[in-house]
Amino acid sequence: MISTICLLLLVSFSSLASDNWPDWLGDTVKQSAGNDWRFSGDPESLQILPARENPKIWVLVSRKAASYDTALKTMLQVYKQEFDAVSFHVVKLPAASTDLNALLENAEANADLLYTVGSKATVAVSKAYQGGELPIVSVNAKDPVLMGLVDTYEGTGSNFAYTSLNLPANVTLSFLLKYMPDLSQIGVLYARTNASAYLTQFLPLQKEAEMRGIRVLAMEVDEAIEDQTLSTVMEAEIHAMKTQDPDLSQSLLWLTGSSSLLSRVDEINQQSSGLPLLTVVPEAVSGNENSALMSVGVSFVNNAHQAALYGIRILRDGEAAGSLPVGVISPPDISISFRQAKRLGKPVPLVLLEMASDVYADDGRAIRSQGMSMEKQ
């Protein structure tokens, strides 16, 4: 633990600036206090304290979500390894803009760093806190350039540093083609209420795929609208896919990072008509029955790890948040479920297996995790 050292010197002096150090204190003390410590006092005492106080980190979360839990848990683990002492203050994103402004004012006065967890919180703070001084890092949020929060991936030049859950659309499509070289159609599943998934995952993939002559069908889901429920949308769009690809041998489903749909993978598989389900979210692939076949994306763990390292560079190393480029993970995290491949009767190309960080056997066992073999030696 970082300790506070107080030295009480019963002497009188009017200034504690290092260039006016008392002549009765040796040069070695002066150098140590000037380089490694900070000091203050009055005519009766002198306090010598650590150069940096324990960092105070605030975390802004919009709602309960398993992905947000993963992000916070990961950041706590990274900070525990890198700092002797650090405090986290987790708060819920206020619904009213006036309350958000008050919260940000409070954070500016009391925090050393603020994390915005999720796209909703990131967008809200980016719009409400322009020109502020408190460093802010996004985590578990989608591409800030595609969401219109920043113009370039090179850095903001402000007090914001962004990380991204997105891969470039051309990278995503290149991996889909590795899985299915004769791919002709992609049905993209996203929630109507998830604007960030639509802007950063559906539209870029649609543009990239259609430039290569691949048809993209929008499977927009909204359970509040009768003809946009998951089952209704999937039935209609898969029927449309069959008009071009009758046996669906050149088609697949692509699941975006819409949280409301990620929790319904079992339903999607049941209504998929045998189409392979691939996703941008590695955590949606597991050894369970309710799993996607494969993921190509950025895991919540790796994104949060990067966000934690960005925060550490700001707090410990003194780097400016705006000088840090948008954090995009490369190469992508690939997860494969051979249990799903067996169920579908669709093999996974060897090139993808070689690149996968997480692999589950056809009996559900994890045989590779985070790039490490789980088989007993």
Side-chain angles (χ1 to χ4, degrees):
M1 298 290 290
I2 298 177
S3 59
T4 299
I5 299 177
C6 297
L7 301 181
L8 300 180
L9 304 180
L10 303 179
V11 296
S12 278
F13 53 90
S14 58
S15 174
L16 294 172
S18 59
D19 58 356
N20 195 24
W21 191 260
D23 56 9
W24 42 264
L25 286 178
D27 290 341
T28 57
V29 178
K30 174 182 177 181
Q31 182 179 4
S32 179
N35 294 341
D36 303 319
W37 304 85
R38 56 190 173 88
F39 48 91
S40 63
D42 54 45
E44 286 76 36
S45 65
L46 170 67
Q47 288 185 318
I48 301 179
L49 305 110
R52 289 181 177 270
E53 294 182 342
N54 298 342
K56 301 179 183 66
I57 299 171
W58 284 34
V59 182
L60 190 59
V61 180
S62 61
R63 59 183 175 81
K64 182 177 182 179
S67 58
Y68 298 170
D69 293 344
T70 298
L72 183 54
K73 177 182 177 182
T74 301
M75 290 194 297
L76 290 173
Q77 291 171 340
V78 176
Y79 273 95
K80 181 180 179 180
Q81 295 172 355
E82 297 294 332
F83 276 92
D84 289 326
V86 61
S87 65
F88 280 79
H89 179 58
V90 185
V91 293
K92 186 178 179 181
L93 176 70
S97 59
T98 52
D99 292 335
L100 175 59
N101 291 334
L103 185 151
L104 291 171
E105 184 177 344
N106 191 13
E108 189 172 53
N110 295 286
D112 299 301
L113 176 70
L114 173 67
Y115 280 104
T116 57
V117 184
S119 297
K120 183 177 181 180
T122 299
V123 170
V125 173
S126 296
K127 292 181 177 180
Y129 194 64
Q130 294 296 327
E133 296 182 359
L134 178 65
I136 297 174
V137 179
S138 73
V139 59
N140 211 311
K142 299 182 179 70
D143 191 306
V145 175
L146 296 176
M147 290 194 294
L149 302 180
V150 63
D151 295 329
T152 174
Y153 291 96
E154 301 304 316
T156 64
S158 67
N159 59 313
F160 281 84
Y162 294 104
T163 64
S164 174
L165 283 174
N166 294 85
L167 296 175
N170 64 325
V171 174
T172 297
L173 188 58
S174 70
F175 279 92
L176 298 187
L177 289 169
K178 290 181 190 298
Y179 169 71
M180 187 176 288
D182 55 354
L183 177 64
S184 67
Q185 294 184 115
I186 307 172
V188 182
L189 284 150
Y190 63 92
R192 181 174 179 270
T193 56
N194 194 319
S196 61
Y198 176 76
L199 288 173
T200 69
Q201 294 175 344
F202 171 72
L203 287 180
L205 182 61
Q206 180 189 49
K207 180 179 179 181
E208 185 70 25
E210 291 183 347
M211 284 194 302
R212 302 196 194 190
I214 298 171
R215 183 187 184 194
V216 173
L217 293 87
M219 295 185 170
E220 185 178 87
V221 177
D222 188 340
E223 294 297 328
I225 301 176
E226 185 176 354
D227 61 353
Q228 284 192 260
T229 64
L230 178 62
S231 59
T232 301
V233 168
M234 289 191 67
E235 181 180 1
E237 296 304 325
I238 291 175
H239 177 76
M241 295 173 84
K242 288 180 178 178
T243 63
Q244 178 173 304
D245 180 18
D247 61 0
L248 299 177
S249 61
Q250 299 177 335
S251 305
L252 58 79
L253 297 177
W254 179 248
L255 177 59
T256 65
S258 299
S259 299
S260 60
L261 296 179
L262 290 169
S263 63
R264 303 175 69 184
V265 169
D266 56 337
E267 297 177 58
I268 295 171
N269 280 334
Q270 290 169 14
Q271 300 174 57
S272 66
S273 296
L275 283 166
L277 176 64
L278 283 71
T279 179
V280 69
V281 181
E283 286 80 358
V285 178
S286 68
N288 301 327
E289 292 182 4
N290 304 327
S291 168
L293 166 66
M294 188 175 79
S295 71
V296 179
V298 177
S299 74
F300 299 134
V301 170
N302 285 344
N303 172 258
H305 191 275
Q306 184 180 48
L309 293 180
Y310 269 18
I312 289 167
R313 289 169 66 177
I314 294 167
L315 293 172
R316 187 184 64 193
D317 303 333
E319 293 192 46
S323 68
L324 299 172
V326 173
V328 179
I329 300 291
S330 180
D333 297 311
I334 297 175
S335 299
I336 297 171
S337 169
F338 278 98
R339 183 171 187 169
Q340 293 299 315
K342 181 179 180 180
R343 178 181 69 83
L344 296 167
K346 297 182 183 296
V348 176
L350 180 60
V351 64
L352 292 172
L353 176 60
E354 291 174 339
M355 300 174 68
S357 53
D358 295 275
V359 179
Y360 300 89
D362 56 13
D363 62 359
R365 291 179 301 108
I367 56 177
R368 190 183 302 164
S369 179
Q370 297 183 350
M372 303 294 292
S373 174
M374 303 296 288
E375 298 288 352
K376 294 183 179 180
Q377 301 297 322

